[in-house]
Amino acid sequence: MAAKNRTDANMDLAKRIEAIIAPSVEELGFEIVRVQVSGAQHPRLQIMAERMDGTGIDVEDCATISRTISATLDVEDPFKGEFTLEVSSPGIDRPLTRLKDFQTWAGFDAKIEMQVGVEGRKRYTGRLLGLDENEMIQIESEEGEQFSLPFDDVQRAKLLLTDELLAAATTEQTK
C-alpha cells in the first residue's frame, strides 16, 4: 500500500508543479505535455514539452525550458532537498495526456489503459477516431469494434510506433 500512496503523492506533486511552471513555459512559446515525478529518496522530475506552433523542439529548446523551470522551482521549492530535472520532447510514440491529443492524433494507432474497465476491458489498442460530441475518446480495434472511453478514466495512453506515424513525423520535420 505504501507504493500506491507514494504514487498518488507523486501524481499530486506533479499536478502542483505543472501549475507552478506552466505560465513560464507558455511564455517561452511551449506547452507542457506531461509532468511526471518518480523516486522517493532521489526525486526525478520529467517534463515533456512541445512548441505551441507545432514545429519541432530541439536540444537548445529543452535547455531553455530547463533553465526557466529551474529558476521557477528554486523560488517555489516543491521538493525537500535535491532533485533531478529532465526536459524532453514527447517523441514520435508520444504519450496522449490531454483531451486535445486524442483529436489531434486521430487516424493513428494508440494503446489506452483505463483506470476503470469499460465494457469489461481496461486495455484498448487500435485506431484513434478522435472525440465524439460528449468528448468521449473514440477508438476502433483491429477487429472493427468501436469503443467510447471517458477521458477522466484514462490511466495511460500513447501512440504506437507504426510506419504511418514515422512517415507523418518525417513529413512534419521536412516542413
Side-chain angles (χ1 to χ4, degrees), residues 17-164:
I17 290 170
E18 184 171 356
I20 292 168
I21 66 172
S24 300
V25 172
E26 289 169 3
E27 279 183 30
L28 296 172
F30 299 95
E31 210 172 352
I32 294 173
V33 173
R34 181 175 77 188
V35 175
Q36 193 169 40
V37 178
S38 60
Q41 298 282 358
H42 305 285
R44 183 173 62 182
L45 174 59
Q46 296 174 303
I47 310 291
M48 284 186 183
E50 63 187 358
R51 288 185 173 279
M52 288 181 173
D53 65 8
T55 60
I57 186 171
D58 61 24
V59 173
E60 187 53 42
D61 293 331
C62 291
T64 300
I65 294 167
S66 180
R67 286 189 294 275
T68 300
I69 289 171
S70 292
T72 303
L73 294 180
D74 282 348
V75 172
E76 296 292 332
D77 201 18
F79 293 99
K80 292 176 175 57
E82 294 183 12
F83 66 96
T84 301
L85 174 61
E86 297 174 3
V87 177
S88 68
S89 76
I92 295 174
D93 55 344
R94 62 180 294 131
L96 304 169
T97 59
R98 303 163 297 182
L99 190 61
K100 73 178 192 172
D101 293 339
F102 294 92
Q103 189 65 43
T104 300
W105 296 98
F108 292 97
D109 291 345
K111 179 178 182 179
I112 303 172
E113 294 179 34
M114 305 299 291
Q115 295 173 17
V116 178
V118 176
E119 297 185 34
R121 298 172 58 173
K122 284 190 170 186
R123 291 180 179 84
Y124 297 84
T125 302
R127 175 99 23 190
L128 280 178
L129 303 175
L131 303 171
D132 69 10
E133 63 279 353
N134 298 316
E135 296 191 327
M136 296 281 283
I137 300 163
Q138 303 300 301
I139 189 167
E140 182 177 12
S141 72
E142 288 181 2
E143 297 78 32
E145 289 181 275
Q146 289 190 16
F147 299 94
S148 293
L149 309 175
F151 175 74
D152 290 340
D153 291 340
V154 172
Q155 181 172 356
R156 188 179 358 247
K158 67 177 239 156
L159 291 177
L160 295 177
L161 192 56
T162 62
D163 290 341
E164 186 179 20

